[in-house]
Each structure stands twice: as structure tokens, then as C-alpha cells.
Amino acid sequence: MAETAILQVDGQSYELPVITGTEGERAIDISSLRSTTGMITLDDGYGNTGSCESAITFIDGEKGILRYRGVPIEDLATRSSFIEAAELLIFGELPDPEERDEFRQLLTENSALHRDMRKHFDGFPADAHPMAILSAMINALQAYDLPEIHITDSGGFRRAAAALLAKTRTIAAASYKSHIGQPIAYPRYDLPYAENFLHMMFSVPYRDYVPSPEVAHALNMFLVLHADHEQNCSTSTVRMVASGGANLFASVSAGVNALWGPKHGGANMAVVEMLQRIQSDGIPVSRYIDQAKDRSSGVRLMGFGHRIYRNFDPRAQILKTAAHDLLESMQIKDPLLDIAQQVEEAALADDYFRERRLYPNVDFYSGIILRAIGIPTDMFTVMFSIGRTPGWIAHWKEVHDNEAQRIHRPRQIYVGEPLTQWLPPAER
Ligand code: SDX
């Protein structure tokens, strides 16, 4: 017997189907609500609204569970390469050695940018934000009419996915090189994904940068942990743009822009700026916490809180350990890590944060790792974008392959002016 929910309104009862997900999450299917009741639901911020059924990532915010295609994040972060995790998300299962090598070859063949694209970097002012460059250049990839734009078969999709994963990394490194006035470094054919990125960021003519295994491992883990997170703001944006039939590159470029805000992917930059402010201004941690609790102060505890995780963000715990391990292996003492720990301890002991179930999220410790690697702060959200690209690709594909997919077009409740007469200028 299918489970239903009963809605009573205007003296009428309406039966609505209840659907249940793989892990037992339940939803009331309201797709017939307006046609049967003439009413819609209203849910500012979509905190109670599911936009789709998806088979890519599962999160249990109460238990701090995160799985990509059913595989626990704890296993992927410590045992998989970023590209292996990317293949899991995009193609639905962990690749066998042959599939992994074939995809790696596709990445290598698609890493370089068209020669003419390099001219775009000269067109940006030196202080252009790297996120503006990244979203613009991902869009610009279409202008080179990559055969991948018009995906007609699985082979075309594999090439497009590889091209976007590879070129996003190359664009990011090239934007940094342009910003600091160094020649753009070419991707190498012999390096894995994370090492190749670090090469393109830090190698200079006649002196190659070779990362330590610990640095490469930390970056690889950072990217795995950022690879997907179900219907977050930027991924929902990618799905919305994809629902209109837009191609993969246009959809992901929109996702980059959605990620930029300080409430979302921009938080990793904001966390480090917050810790630096506490350090440089000599603000007692207790006073900063008090400011963050006062809505009127305009101060937020960046890197804290999450719409879904009401217990702990498993990624934050993994990143905290990874930050410690990396700094220890590099024999670096970063005072911001100490301050971060003091802030975490003070917040977790404070009723304001406990009552609202606010815990460190993925952005709270990630910046410590990026700083140790030598990534500049204004590139932090670009690093989040590189990590999130496989998730955006996987969600674009899930929309693209769904023949029953309808264009995303939410309703609204109008609260503006009633019928208003037009008046000629002289009478206004
Ligand atoms: C990411 O969705 C995802 O999955 C995102 C992400 C991903 O992988 O894609 O996980 C990545 O974006 C992580 C979040 C990064 N952002 C930050 O760290 C910015 C700081 N955090 C807040 O802006 C906030 O917590 C959000 C945006 C993350 C969540 O906002 P919600 O769910 O809309 O929560 P809310 O604003 O309704 O807050 C509920 C209460 C409020 O207090 P009251 O009005 O009930 O008194 O908690 C308070 C808020 O004022 N609150 C905070 C706070 N976050 C929430 N108070 C102080 N500092 C904070 N950081």
C-alpha cells in the first residue's frame, strides 16, 4: 500500500503521495498540489524542499554522513585519488585500472588551452579576481567550439568531462601566473592531477617545482573532500541552468559564480581573513565570539554553521587532522591554526552555537592547508571550484540524461502593488 499524506484545506482533504529514498528519507510529493488545490508551497531558501531525486551523493546531517555514490567520504579522502573520486561521481562507480588509465590519458590530452585563449589573460586587469577569470574562461572554452560542447554520445561526454576537469585546473593556474606577472606554465604529460596543478602554479622557466608527497597528498585530499555535496547552492545552480538545455560548460560557469559568495564557497577565504583579523587586531577570541552572536554586529563566525549538518561536518574533521599533519610534516608553525582551534573550542562551549547546532564546516580548516601549500588567499575559492567540478559535471549529466526532466521554474507569492493605473509623466 503506497504511503500518503493528507492535506486538509478549505474543508477539503487531499491525499498526496509520500516517497522514500534509499536511506529512508521521506518526502511528500507535491507535484500535483497546484492542479488539485490551486495552491503552492512557500519555502524561503528551500530548507524543506527537495528539488529532485538524485543518485549521486547522500548526506545525513544528523549523523554526519557523506557518501559519493554510496562510498563513505572517509574512505575516499584517505584512499582514493581525486580523479578516481571524480570518476566515481561522474560515471557512477570506482574505475578499474584500465578505465582509470584511459581517463587519465584523456585528461592529459585535454589539459592544454587553445593558444588564442592565452590572450584572454592579458585582457584582465592584474587585480581581477581569479573567480571572475575562472567563470569567464570556462565560458570562453565554448567559443573554441570544443567538439565536447555538443555531446551526442558517451564517448563525447567522457571527453567533455575530461576536458573540463583538466582545463579548469589549467585556467586556475594560468590566472595566478598572469596575476603575478610570470609566464604561464604548460601542463606536463607525466604528472598526476594535483601534482600537475602545483607544477603549473609554482614552476618557473628552467626550474620545475616538485611538491613533497605530503603536499601532493594534502591537496589531493582537499580536492576529494570538495568534489560534491548534493543540492548545495552552486550545484543547484548548475542543475537549474542545465534544466533549460544549456551545455555543460555554460552550466558549470554558472556554478562557479554561485560558489563565489561568502555564505558558500567564498567562506574559505573569509575564514582566513577572520583569523588574520583576530590575530592582527589582537581581538580576544571571546570578544569575537560575542560579536558573532550579535546579529546587529554584522559579524559571522565564518566556517561555522551549515544548512544540512546539525551535528558535525565530517569533512571539517578530516581537514582539521590533515592541517595538523601537513604543518607538522613541513615543520611550519601557523599561528592561524592555533587561533582556529581556540575559536572552535570557545564556540563549541557556547550555548548560542550549541543551541543552534552550529559546528565547523568544510571551510573552517581548509584555508590552513591551502596557506601551507602556498596558495594565495584570493585563490581559495578557485580551489573549491576545481574540487567541485566533478560534482557539477555529474549533476549536469543527471539532468541531461533525464528525458522527463522539466525546466526548473519555481512559482512565487506576489506581494507587490495591486492593479495600478499608468499615468502620463505630467500627472505622476
Ligand atoms: C558551504 O550547502 C552546502 O552543502 C554548502 C557546502 C558545500 O560543500 O557545497 O557545504 C559549502 O557553503 C559551507 C558553508 C560556508 N559558509 C560559511 O561558513 C558562512 C558562515 N555560515 C553561515 O552564513 C550559515 O551558517 C550558513 C549560510 C552556512 C547556513 O545558513 P542557514 O542554514 O540559512 O542558517 P541561518 O542563517 O538560518 O542560521 C540559523 C541561526 C540564526 O540565528 P537566529 O536567527 O535563529 O537567532 O544560526 C545563526 C543565525 O544567525 N547562525 C550563525 C552562523 N550561522 C548561522 N551565527 C553566527 N555565525 C554563523 N556562522
Side-chain angles (χ1 to χ4, degrees):
M1 169 81 169
E3 192 183 357
T4 60
I6 304 295
L7 173 67
Q8 288 195 329
V9 67
D10 300 337
Q12 297 243 25
S13 286
Y14 301 91
E15 213 169 354
L16 297 166
V18 171
I19 61 169
T20 303
T22 309
E23 297 297 330
E25 340 82 286
R26 297 194 304 163
I28 300 170
D29 180 347
I30 58 168
S31 46
S32 63
L33 182 69
R34 191 167 184 277
S35 58
T36 51
T37 69
M39 297 173 77
I40 63 169
T41 59
L42 186 62
D43 182 20
D44 175 38
Y46 305 118
N48 305 281
T49 300
S51 63
C52 62
E53 292 175 291
S54 178
I56 299 170
T57 291
F58 172 68
I59 299 174
D60 181 321
E62 300 303 325
K63 298 175 187 161
I65 292 174
L66 170 58
R67 299 179 194 145
Y68 296 164
R69 300 284 187 181
V71 182
I73 192 64
E74 293 79 5
D75 291 334
L76 292 166
T78 51
R79 303 165 71 180
S80 271
S81 72
F82 172 56
I83 293 308
E84 187 173 79
E87 290 187 78
L88 170 65
L89 284 166
I90 296 169
F91 304 113
E93 54 191 19
L94 285 166
D96 63 33
E98 190 184 329
E99 288 163 333
R100 192 186 53 202
D101 294 345
E102 181 264 347
F103 196 64
R104 276 219 170 97
Q105 186 56 29
L106 271 180
L107 286 164
T108 299
E109 290 163 6
N110 289 281
S111 281
L113 299 178
H114 187 287
R115 180 182 53 109
D116 293 347
M117 279 197 78
R118 292 172 173 276
K119 296 171 188 165
H120 292 255
F121 291 106
D122 300 334
F124 287 103
D127 58 355
H129 196 291
M131 285 293 277
I133 298 173
L134 183 64
S135 68
M137 292 298 275
I138 288 176
N139 243 334
L141 284 173
Q142 303 177 63
Y144 292 85
D145 196 20
L146 293 167
E148 291 78 5
I149 295 294
H150 312 297
I151 295 168
T152 52
D153 58 24
S154 61
F157 173 69
R158 283 183 78 81
R159 277 195 310 280
L164 189 50
L165 274 171
K167 287 177 163 70
T168 293
R169 174 198 54 187
T170 305
I171 290 167
S175 68
Y176 173 63
K177 285 298 200 184
S178 299
H179 175 64
I180 61 175
Q182 284 187 5
I184 292 174
Y186 287 93
R188 284 177 44 170
Y189 284 72
D190 60 333
L191 291 178
Y193 192 90
E195 289 85 340
N196 217 343
F197 172 72
L198 293 169
H199 150 67
M200 288 189 275
M201 282 285 287
F202 302 125
S203 290
V204 291
Y206 312 111
R207 193 187 72 219
D208 271 0
Y209 170 82
V210 180
S212 70
E214 294 79 10
V215 164
H217 173 73
L219 177 57
N220 188 74
M221 177 186 281
F222 171 95
L223 295 173
V224 170
L225 290 168
H226 285 77
D228 193 50
H229 214 240
E230 54 134 281
Q231 303 308 319
N232 59 85
C233 175
S234 52
T235 302
S236 296
T237 301
V238 169
R239 290 184 75 107
M240 177 167 272
V241 174
S243 76
N247 67 61
L248 173 63
F249 293 72
S251 303
V252 168
S253 177
V256 171
N257 290 309
L259 186 73
W260 195 346
K263 284 187 176 182
H264 191 14
N268 55 16
M269 279 177 63
V271 167
V272 167
E273 288 159 356
M274 170 183 78
L275 298 172
Q276 286 171 328
R277 198 162 51 249
I278 291 172
Q279 180 194 31
S280 59
D281 297 356
I283 304 172
V285 166
S286 57
R287 186 177 339 141
Y288 195 90
I289 294 284
D290 288 341
Q291 287 176 351
K293 288 157 55 176
D294 172 8
R295 260 223 194 243
S296 63
S297 72
V299 170
R300 298 271 84 175
L301 195 56
M302 300 312 281
F304 254 71
H306 200 279
R307 174 66 55 79
I308 306 285
Y309 290 120
R310 308 316 271 186
N311 195 330
F312 62 92
D313 181 336
R315 303 168 298 174
Q317 299 198 309
I318 297 169
L319 285 164
K320 180 178 180 179
T321 305
H324 268 288
D325 295 349
L326 180 63
L327 293 184
E328 194 173 301
S329 74
M330 299 176 78
Q331 295 176 339
I332 294 177
K333 187 104 179 78
D334 185 349
L336 297 192
L337 178 58
D338 299 334
I339 296 171
Q341 279 181 193
Q342 291 166 35
V343 167
E344 180 185 8
E345 282 161 23
L348 296 184
D350 189 296
D351 287 344
Y352 171 94
F353 294 89
R354 279 209 302 244
E355 285 160 8
R356 291 164 179 80
R357 304 176 76 185
L358 304 174
Y359 296 87
N361 59 49
V362 67
D363 294 303
F364 193 65
Y365 284 104
S366 59
I368 302 292
I369 292 173
L370 296 177
R371 273 165 56 89
I373 293 174
I375 309 284
T377 306
D378 67 359
M379 285 276 292
F380 282 13
T381 311
V382 167
M383 297 308 294
F384 194 143
S385 297
I386 296 173
R388 187 52 52 91
T389 299
W392 288 335
I393 294 171
H395 284 272
W396 178 88
K397 181 91 167 35
E398 194 168 66
V399 171
H400 178 267
D401 287 355
N402 175 6
E403 289 176 8
Q405 177 68 53
R406 300 179 70 199
I407 190 168
H408 289 195
R409 203 281 184 213
R411 295 276 179 161
Q412 65 164 26
I413 293 296
Y414 175 69
V415 294
E417 292 300 318
L419 179 62
T420 303
Q421 186 188 1
W422 185 88
L423 294 172
E427 296 174 27
R428 291 172 190 163

